[in-house]
Amino acid sequence: MYKSILIPVLLDKSRDVDGSFKAAMAMADDTAQITLLHVFEAVPSYVADYIPPDYMNSKKDAMQGALDEMAKQLPNCRGVIAEGRAGPRISRWAEENGNDCIVIASHEPAFSDILLGSVAHHVVRHAKCAVHVIR
């Protein structure tokens, strides 16, 4: 049983998190802390000059609100937003925060995944804790 589980999530209506949530609950200790992590990439500096500062703050607030709503579905759960490239940031977050398991959803691989690698593939290869991949 795991005591600290990280579930990376996309805040996208088409993504189903039920499988990840069920798997995390099945593997969680009674007192386990579960963290939902949404990673977004930084806006390039050449684009940032054209985006009003309040816009980014309101988007982050909306993302946090969506994560908080999702977190209500699980006991001892919180939502967190991080910035960076998804694969490396998820692996680093888990290591920095002492997670002992990552439950990550994987999509059907596309041709580009063969050449570039998917987020789940990166996490599986680089995470220093257990990784459970949901299909």
Side-chain angles (χ1 to χ4, degrees), residues 54-72:
D54 292 344
Y55 177 79
M56 291 307 291
N57 290 336
S58 67
K59 288 303 266 183
K60 285 181 183 177
D61 290 344
M63 285 188 264
Q64 188 62 57
L67 281 172
D68 292 342
E69 281 301 311
M70 291 172 82
K72 290 179 183 177

Side-chain angles (χ1 to χ4, degrees), residues 46-100:
Y46 60 86
V47 175
D49 292 339
Y50 298 100
I51 299 174
D54 292 344
Y55 177 79
M56 291 307 291
N57 290 336
S58 67
K59 288 303 266 183
K60 285 181 183 177
D61 290 344
M63 285 188 264
Q64 188 62 57
L67 281 172
D68 292 342
E69 281 301 311
M70 291 172 82
K72 290 179 183 177
Q73 298 177 46
L74 300 170
N76 299 323
C77 188
R78 67 184 176 123
V80 177
I81 298 171
E83 191 173 324
R85 287 186 42 238
R89 188 66 184 113
I90 292 165
S91 300
R92 200 168 66 249
W93 177 272
E95 186 176 357
E96 291 169 351
N97 291 277
N99 295 113
D100 54 2

